[in-house]
Amino acid sequence: MLHNSFHKSLSRLPRNILSRCLSTAPPNTTLVIGGGPVGLCTAYHLALSSPRSNITVLERDPTYARASATLSAGGIRQQFSLKQNVQMSIYGRDFLRSAHELLRVDEEEVDVQFQEKGYLFLASTESGAEVMRRNHEVQVGEGAGVKLLNCHELKEKFPWLNTSDIVLGSYGETGEGWFDPWILLRALRRKCQSLGVTILKGYPICASRDNDTGRILSVSVVEQHGGKDITSMYKVDNVVNAAGAHCAQLMAMLAGQKKLMHPIPVEPRKRCIFFFHCATEQKDIIVPRIAPLTICPISNVYFRSEGHVEDSGEATGNFLCGVSPTKEKDHMVHEMTDIDYADHELWEEIIWPALYHRVPAFGEVKLKSSWAGLYEYNTLDQNAIIDFHPEIPNVLMACGFSGHGLQQAPAAGRAAAELLVNGEFQTLDLGMFSFDRCYGKKPPVFELGIV
């Protein structure tokens, strides 16, 4: 099992530790479990909309050394086929653009290093191009700055790109690119604390439930203070499950001995990122000075420039890249040691051949480093779940984003806060992401032609 399995954590505790519980939180606390982007954005919006709320965020590792967000490529795009996903990412785009004001505390500058260098999707078949055109209508209809480019326009815009087998491209001219997840997390934590949110280092170990309603009455938490573990019992009004890749484990722990009829269909998967350098001066070959996050057709290998790049600056030759494993090799992660290393066969067998085919300059590259992280994979339809659980009606799930959580966190956090305060969505109608599709009451919702 994963190293932060709640049952394993409980088994390691001294036998008498539960008898030393301290009730440290006032009644009617909203306990947010998971201090990543979604959890912090939920706390942030909840504190703004309900200033008198008692909000506590629980995060096991405030260094975020193994957090999905900090180990990701830090991307944001509006190129989706579902308008709700487009809307969520537009909200995220605007949040990032205004982060210097929204997250300011005591005049401290906040710069999340948002580089709007774009995403570039490529279609190599006419059927793929037709899907791209339909998606484009949805995207521009919601206000996304996306432009379709034919083969000639692609070559003119990106002269380093091999377009010999490309029919159509979709390029995010504005609002898409990448940013620094660590800076965003740090700024969100500081802002939440300035709004009265309590942020604790620790993890939950068990919960008590009302036998009649199934509601959570309290959650026992191991808090870590100065190297010591102190177990506290939090009486709660609501619990927010923002545990990312570990959300299903958390839900099972909260359910206790009465197992859920409808568990969350989300599991941790492994994703790898590779950092490479390309020779910046090559005879008769154009080297990308700034490459948008480009997704190769068929293989779905992606790459983008890395580091702070200026439109008029010299090429750095530094790039990030990655690809999802094949379906046969994409399995649930059971041990955290599985992400101690990247799977280099992905680089050798899939990524580098695709890179070299798409960008001739990538024939001369040197792999500099690599890493792996967890990915919260919704096995049903790879889309978010933002809803209360029908069997534990005061547990709000904000999880299952399947690689989109970082960019959609601001919108998801606002949506979660609206459900907690008002019982309904108000800013964006995200009813499509309700939990009832996870047990057959509604159909799943799929993205078309989008990774």
Side-chain angles (χ1 to χ4, degrees):
M1 295 294 292
L2 294 169
H3 84 292
N4 62 346
S5 163
F6 301 106
H7 300 295
K8 184 176 285 188
S9 299
L10 181 58
S11 69
R12 292 198 187 108
L13 296 173
R15 292 183 179 179
N16 66 338
I17 196 168
L18 292 181
S19 66
R20 295 187 274 116
C21 290
L22 303 174
S23 182
T24 60
N28 303 321
T29 290
T30 295
L31 181 62
V32 180
I33 303 179
V38 174
L40 289 174
C41 284
T42 299
Y44 165 80
H45 284 100
L46 184 58
L48 288 177
S49 59
S50 184
R52 295 183 180 181
S53 297
N54 297 309
I55 308 165
T56 297
V57 176
L58 188 64
E59 170 56 40
R60 187 185 189 100
D61 179 18
T63 70
Y64 300 105
R66 293 211 161 186
S68 297
T70 55
L71 295 172
S72 73
I76 180 169
R77 57 184 166 91
Q78 289 82 58
Q79 295 191 61
F80 292 94
S81 66
L82 297 173
K83 73 173 185 178
Q84 290 82 355
N85 278 332
V86 179
Q87 292 169 346
M88 290 179 75
S89 286
I90 286 178
Y91 186 95
R93 174 201 70 188
D94 295 343
F95 188 91
L96 291 176
R97 285 174 172 174
S98 303
H100 62 287
E101 290 294 337
L102 296 174
L103 302 181
R104 181 190 295 270
V105 177
D106 297 332
E107 302 305 316
E108 180 179 335
E109 290 294 325
V110 175
D111 181 3
V112 297
Q113 301 290 308
F114 184 20
Q115 300 191 64
E116 298 187 40
K117 306 302 182 183
Y119 266 62
L120 177 62
F121 284 84
L122 301 170
S124 59
T125 64
E126 188 52 49
S127 60
E130 182 55 36
V131 171
M132 186 173 283
R133 293 184 187 99
R134 291 200 301 269
N135 291 346
H136 181 260
E137 291 182 7
V138 174
Q139 295 153 13
V140 296
E142 297 301 326
V146 181
K147 183 178 181 180
L148 294 180
L149 301 174
N150 61 32
C151 190
H152 174 74
E153 292 168 325
L154 282 168
K155 197 64 178 179
E156 184 176 358
K157 179 74 175 176
F158 308 107
W160 42 265
L161 189 71
N162 173 18
T163 60
S164 62
D165 56 349
I166 298 301
V167 176
L168 189 66
S170 179
Y171 174 54
E173 293 184 297
T174 63
E176 297 191 330
W178 51 91
F179 59 96
D180 191 319
W182 166 248
I183 296 177
L184 177 65
L185 284 168
R186 181 182 178 277
L188 280 167
R189 283 176 63 92
R190 183 170 165 80
K191 185 64 176 183
C192 283
Q193 289 171 320
S194 76
L195 294 171
V197 175
T198 299
I199 300 180
L200 298 174
K201 178 182 180 181
Y203 53 92
I205 53 174
C206 60
S208 63
R209 295 174 63 187
D210 184 286
N211 290 330
D212 296 326
T213 66
R215 292 173 61 89
I216 300 294
L217 301 175
S218 65
V219 178
S220 292
V221 170
V222 174
E223 297 177 32
Q224 297 167 317
H225 298 282
K228 296 182 179 180
D229 289 349
I230 300 174
T231 300
S232 306
M233 184 180 70
Y234 283 74
K235 295 179 181 179
V236 297
D237 190 38
N238 292 292
V239 176
V240 178
N241 183 346
H246 309 295
C247 63
Q249 279 184 296
L250 172 60
M251 210 68 196
M253 185 280 295
L254 293 172
Q257 295 182 345
K258 188 178 181 181
K259 294 184 177 181
L260 296 173
M261 293 177 59
H262 305 298
I264 301 179
V266 178
E267 61 187 36
R269 301 278 182 96
K270 181 178 181 178
R271 293 295 182 266
C272 304
I273 293 181
F274 300 86
F275 171 58
F276 69 92
H277 180 78
C278 168
T280 56
E281 295 185 7
Q282 300 183 39
K283 185 178 180 180
D284 300 327
I285 294 179
I286 300 174
V287 178
R289 185 166 52 80
I290 298 175
L293 197 150
T294 304
I295 299 90
C296 303
I298 303 175
S299 69
N300 283 333
V301 168
Y302 70 85
F303 64 91
R304 69 161 173 83
S305 294
E306 171 60 347
H308 191 77
V309 289
E310 299 291 346
D311 292 337
S312 58
E314 295 295 326
T316 65
N318 295 326
F319 300 88
L320 289 185
C321 65
V323 71
S324 296
T326 60
K327 186 177 181 180
E328 296 74 24
K329 295 183 179 181
D330 193 12
H331 305 298
M332 178 177 176
V333 172
H334 294 282
E335 298 288 343
M336 288 299 288
T337 53
D338 290 347
I339 63 168
D340 286 345
Y341 56 89
D343 297 328
H344 280 262
E345 61 269 20
L346 289 173
W347 168 263
E348 296 166 357
E349 299 174 7
I350 302 175
I351 296 175
W352 185 78
L355 293 177
Y356 183 32
H357 172 71
R358 191 55 53 206
V359 183
F362 288 166
E364 294 188 28
V365 299
K366 182 176 182 179
L367 186 62
K368 305 288 284 187
S369 64
S370 60
W371 60 91
L374 291 179
Y375 180 94
E376 56 174 315
Y377 187 83
N378 182 340
T379 60
L380 176 69
D381 57 18
Q382 296 82 64
N383 271 303
I385 299 168
I386 307 175
D387 198 1
F388 289 97
H389 197 284
E391 298 168 62
I392 315 180
N394 65 333
V395 172
L396 176 62
M397 301 165 289
C399 51
F401 293 90
S402 302
H404 309 146
L406 178 60
Q407 61 182 295
Q408 294 184 341
R414 179 155 190 157
E418 290 173 352
L419 287 179
L420 289 166
V421 175
N422 305 300
E424 62 181 5
F425 298 118
Q426 294 187 322
T427 304
L428 299 175
D429 182 3
L430 302 182
M432 173 180 286
F433 301 125
S434 63
F435 186 70
D436 48 11
R437 75 186 199 275
C438 298
Y439 55 94
K441 193 173 180 180
K442 288 184 179 178
V445 290
F446 293 100
E447 283 288 334
L448 299 176
I450 300 291
V451 296

